[in-house]
Amino acid sequence: NAGVTQTPKFQVLKTGQSMTLQCAQDMNHNSMYWYRQDPGMGLRLIYYSASEGTTDKGEVPNGYNVSRLNKREFSLRLESAAPSQTSVYFCASSAIPPGLTQWSYNSPLHFGNGTRLTVT
Amino acid sequence: SQQGEEDPQALSIQEGENATMNCSYKTSINNLQWYRQNSGRGLVHLILIRSNEREKHSGRLRVTLDTSKKSSSLLITASRAADTASYFCATAGNTGNQFYFGTGTSLTVIP
């Protein structure tokens, strides 16, 4: 049982290049999330998806796009990378039933091991 | 932002000692969760405490919650070198499926 799998593990981009970070979970979870982690800032939510076909902005969505391809996969795209997007990116999933929220349904998040992205 | 703040930012103790870290948050919560992150890895869920609970135990972990002070503490008893990690508290937003993390406490347990 792999849990949450992220690819690639490491990536170096030049300013202006684009790339897609891939995430897949095999736990049949409805909710999926993308976070970035920066020193001293904790984890900040970029986008989340409550169910297949829906996506919502988090705290820091600018410069990113997401696609919930199906129930298993949630990708994060950087269209034109900037040095400020140098960070560690984490994907997570949670077993919240459709129609309920994190607030009303006490469910932990399951994380992948991250993608370390450097933009030069 | 509902983001929590952990205190202290860093903590260094000897193996066998207890480690206590604190979390403060800004708005009302339904539950509060604690996570551990080993170096170079993703976060792992440790324990969840509901807003109507004051204390919860799981193995060597003890979590307390004081909703009147908007704070929680995580106690790790009889620490081991393997407990060396960063620890984060997290709370859910009251709309949607947003989930907010604090800035973390870095714990070092010296063998």
Side-chain angles (χ1 to χ4, degrees), chain B residues 68-83:
Chain B
S68 67
K69 295 181 180 177
K70 292 187 168 58
S71 68
S72 174
S73 67
L74 172 67
L75 168 68
I76 304 173
T77 59
S79 63
R80 306 167 181 168
D83 295 327

Side-chain angles (χ1 to χ4, degrees), chain B residues 16-57:
Chain B
E17 293 181 337
N18 295 341
T20 300
M21 51 207 87
N22 304 296
C23 166
S24 60
Y25 55 92
K26 296 180 181 178
T27 63
S28 61
I29 62 168
N30 194 29
N31 70 78
L32 185 142
Q33 303 184 23
W34 284 91
Y35 288 77
R36 182 188 75 231
Q37 183 181 32
N38 291 93
S39 180
R41 308 284 287 183
L43 280 73
V44 175
H45 180 258
L46 293 176
I47 193 166
L48 179 153
I49 185 166
R50 291 179 171 78
S51 59
N52 61 354
E53 297 176 312
R54 291 296 168 259
E55 188 171 311
K56 197 163 183 180
H57 296 255

Side-chain angles (χ1 to χ4, degrees), chain A residues 68-118:
Chain A
R68 185 72 183 269
L69 304 169
N70 47 54
K71 192 171 185 179
R72 290 187 64 247
E73 298 172 290
F74 189 38
S75 62
L76 178 71
R77 183 160 178 83
L78 286 71
E79 292 290 353
S80 180
S84 61
Q85 294 178 306
T86 293
S87 187
V88 182
Y89 291 86
F90 288 98
C91 177
S93 69
S94 181
I96 304 172
L100 296 182
T101 66
Q102 267 290 357
W103 176 270
S104 61
Y105 191 87
N106 300 314
S107 180
L109 267 62
H110 300 260
F111 282 82
N113 283 323
T115 293
R116 283 143 187 84
L117 176 66
T118 301

Side-chain angles (χ1 to χ4, degrees), chain A residues 51-63:
Chain A
S51 61
E52 184 179 350
T54 68
T55 61
D56 286 283
K57 295 178 180 179
E59 299 174 83
V60 289
N62 291 344

